PDB file of all heavy atoms in Angstrom:
ATOM      1  N   GLY A1615      74.525-258.554  44.123  1.00  0.00           N
ATOM      2  CA  GLY A1615      74.044-259.516  43.112  1.00  0.00           C
ATOM      3  C   GLY A1615      73.045-260.500  43.670  1.00  0.00           C
ATOM      4  O   GLY A1615      71.927-260.674  43.105  1.00  0.00           O
ATOM      5  N   PRO A1616      73.378-261.178  44.846  1.00  0.00           N
ATOM      6  CA  PRO A1616      72.402-262.126  45.393  1.00  0.00           C
ATOM      7  C   PRO A1616      71.092-261.462  45.805  1.00  0.00           C
ATOM      8  O   PRO A1616      70.021-262.077  45.611  1.00  0.00           O
ATOM      9  CB  PRO A1616      73.146-262.693  46.581  1.00  0.00           C
ATOM     10  CG  PRO A1616      74.602-262.553  46.236  1.00  0.00           C
ATOM     11  CD  PRO A1616      74.686-261.292  45.422  1.00  0.00           C
ATOM     12  N   PHE A1617      71.166-260.215  46.303  1.00  0.00           N
ATOM     13  CA  PHE A1617      69.894-259.578  46.712  1.00  0.00           C
ATOM     14  C   PHE A1617      69.059-259.186  45.494  1.00  0.00           C
ATOM     15  O   PHE A1617      67.837-259.371  45.521  1.00  0.00           O
ATOM     16  CB  PHE A1617      70.198-258.341  47.555  1.00  0.00           C
ATOM     17  CG  PHE A1617      68.936-257.585  48.000  1.00  0.00           C
ATOM     18  CD1 PHE A1617      68.032-258.202  48.761  1.00  0.00           C
ATOM     19  CD2 PHE A1617      68.724-256.276  47.575  1.00  0.00           C
ATOM     20  CE1 PHE A1617      66.838-257.546  49.154  1.00  0.00           C
ATOM     21  CE2 PHE A1617      67.554-255.620  47.976  1.00  0.00           C
ATOM     22  CZ  PHE A1617      66.653-256.284  48.761  1.00  0.00           C
ATOM     23  N   VAL A1618      69.666-258.744  44.449  1.00  0.00           N
ATOM     24  CA  VAL A1618      68.923-258.423  43.201  1.00  0.00           C
ATOM     25  C   VAL A1618      68.311-259.703  42.662  1.00  0.00           C
ATOM     26  O   VAL A1618      67.172-259.692  42.138  1.00  0.00           O
ATOM     27  CB  VAL A1618      69.825-257.696  42.163  1.00  0.00           C
ATOM     28  CG1 VAL A1618      69.109-257.558  40.843  1.00  0.00           C
ATOM     29  CG2 VAL A1618      70.251-256.343  42.676  1.00  0.00           C
ATOM     30  N   SER A1619      69.059-260.814  42.748  1.00  0.00           N
ATOM     31  CA  SER A1619      68.515-262.088  42.291  1.00  0.00           C
ATOM     32  C   SER A1619      67.257-262.452  43.133  1.00  0.00           C
ATOM     33  O   SER A1619      66.315-263.025  42.587  1.00  0.00           O
ATOM     34  CB  SER A1619      69.566-263.196  42.422  1.00  0.00           C
ATOM     35  OG  SER A1619      70.628-262.959  41.540  1.00  0.00           O
ATOM     36  N   LYS A1620      67.292-262.149  44.426  1.00  0.00           N
ATOM     37  CA  LYS A1620      66.114-262.446  45.253  1.00  0.00           C
ATOM     38  C   LYS A1620      64.949-261.552  44.854  1.00  0.00           C
ATOM     39  O   LYS A1620      63.800-262.015  44.742  1.00  0.00           O
ATOM     40  CB  LYS A1620      66.466-262.126  46.728  1.00  0.00           C
ATOM     41  CG  LYS A1620      65.314-262.382  47.690  1.00  0.00           C
ATOM     42  CD  LYS A1620      64.814-263.815  47.695  1.00  0.00           C
ATOM     43  CE  LYS A1620      63.722-263.992  48.713  1.00  0.00           C
ATOM     44  NZ  LYS A1620      63.154-265.401  48.643  1.00  0.00           N
ATOM     45  N   ILE A1621      65.199-260.271  44.558  1.00  0.00           N
ATOM     46  CA  ILE A1621      64.143-259.402  44.024  1.00  0.00           C
ATOM     47  C   ILE A1621      63.515-260.008  42.754  1.00  0.00           C
ATOM     48  O   ILE A1621      62.325-260.074  42.588  1.00  0.00           O
ATOM     49  CB  ILE A1621      64.632-257.996  43.796  1.00  0.00           C
ATOM     50  CG1 ILE A1621      65.050-257.345  45.143  1.00  0.00           C
ATOM     51  CG2 ILE A1621      63.599-257.156  43.102  1.00  0.00           C
ATOM     52  CD1 ILE A1621      65.646-255.954  44.994  1.00  0.00           C
ATOM     53  N   ARG A1622      64.418-260.381  41.850  1.00  0.00           N
ATOM     54  CA  ARG A1622      63.987-260.921  40.571  1.00  0.00           C
ATOM     55  C   ARG A1622      63.119-262.173  40.796  1.00  0.00           C
ATOM     56  O   ARG A1622      62.103-262.431  40.140  1.00  0.00           O
ATOM     57  CB  ARG A1622      65.217-261.253  39.694  1.00  0.00           C
ATOM     58  CG  ARG A1622      64.844-261.675  38.258  1.00  0.00           C
ATOM     59  CD  ARG A1622      66.081-262.049  37.448  1.00  0.00           C
ATOM     60  NE  ARG A1622      67.014-260.935  37.411  1.00  0.00           N
ATOM     61  CZ  ARG A1622      68.199-260.955  37.996  1.00  0.00           C
ATOM     62  NH1 ARG A1622      68.607-262.055  38.682  1.00  0.00           N
ATOM     63  NH2 ARG A1622      69.028-259.934  37.969  1.00  0.00           N
ATOM     64  N   ALA A1623      63.577-263.003  41.727  1.00  0.00           N
ATOM     65  CA  ALA A1623      62.826-264.283  42.022  1.00  0.00           C
ATOM     66  C   ALA A1623      61.453-263.991  42.559  1.00  0.00           C
ATOM     67  O   ALA A1623      60.466-264.634  42.164  1.00  0.00           O
ATOM     68  CB  ALA A1623      63.612-265.136  42.979  1.00  0.00           C
ATOM     69  N   VAL A1624      61.301-262.997  43.457  1.00  0.00           N
ATOM     70  CA  VAL A1624      60.020-262.690  44.002  1.00  0.00           C
ATOM     71  C   VAL A1624      59.106-262.109  42.961  1.00  0.00           C
ATOM     72  O   VAL A1624      57.911-262.439  42.856  1.00  0.00           O
ATOM     73  CB  VAL A1624      60.197-261.703  45.203  1.00  0.00           C
ATOM     74  CG1 VAL A1624      58.840-261.184  45.693  1.00  0.00           C
ATOM     75  CG2 VAL A1624      60.901-262.427  46.364  1.00  0.00           C
ATOM     76  N   ILE A1625      59.688-261.230  42.126  1.00  0.00           N
ATOM     77  CA  ILE A1625      58.831-260.651  41.026  1.00  0.00           C
ATOM     78  C   ILE A1625      58.415-261.746  40.060  1.00  0.00           C
ATOM     79  O   ILE A1625      57.279-261.737  39.576  1.00  0.00           O
ATOM     80  CB  ILE A1625      59.639-259.528  40.340  1.00  0.00           C
ATOM     81  CG1 ILE A1625      59.737-258.322  41.282  1.00  0.00           C
ATOM     82  CG2 ILE A1625      58.943-259.097  39.041  1.00  0.00           C
ATOM     83  CD1 ILE A1625      60.560-257.172  40.735  1.00  0.00           C
ATOM     84  N   ASN A1626      59.285-262.690  39.798  1.00  0.00           N
ATOM     85  CA  ASN A1626      58.915-263.812  38.920  1.00  0.00           C
ATOM     86  C   ASN A1626      57.824-264.619  39.597  1.00  0.00           C
ATOM     87  O   ASN A1626      56.891-265.123  38.881  1.00  0.00           O
ATOM     88  CB  ASN A1626      60.123-264.754  38.691  1.00  0.00           C
ATOM     89  CG  ASN A1626      61.085-264.165  37.670  1.00  0.00           C
ATOM     90  OD1 ASN A1626      60.737-263.303  36.876  1.00  0.00           O
ATOM     91  ND2 ASN A1626      62.291-264.666  37.644  1.00  0.00           N
ATOM     92  N   ASP A1627      57.890-264.839  40.909  1.00  0.00           N
ATOM     93  CA  ASP A1627      56.804-265.560  41.599  1.00  0.00           C
ATOM     94  C   ASP A1627      55.477-264.806  41.439  1.00  0.00           C
ATOM     95  O   ASP A1627      54.421-265.494  41.322  1.00  0.00           O
ATOM     96  CB  ASP A1627      57.149-265.695  43.081  1.00  0.00           C
ATOM     97  CG  ASP A1627      58.260-266.739  43.313  1.00  0.00           C
ATOM     98  OD1 ASP A1627      58.518-267.585  42.369  1.00  0.00           O
ATOM     99  OD2 ASP A1627      58.887-266.788  44.408  1.00  0.00           O
TER     100      ASP A1627
END
Side-chain angles (χ1 to χ4, degrees):
F1617 180 60
V1618 173
S1619 294
K1620 178 62 176 176
I1621 294 176
R1622 187 182 304 113
V1624 171
I1625 290 176
N1626 283 341
D1627 286 343

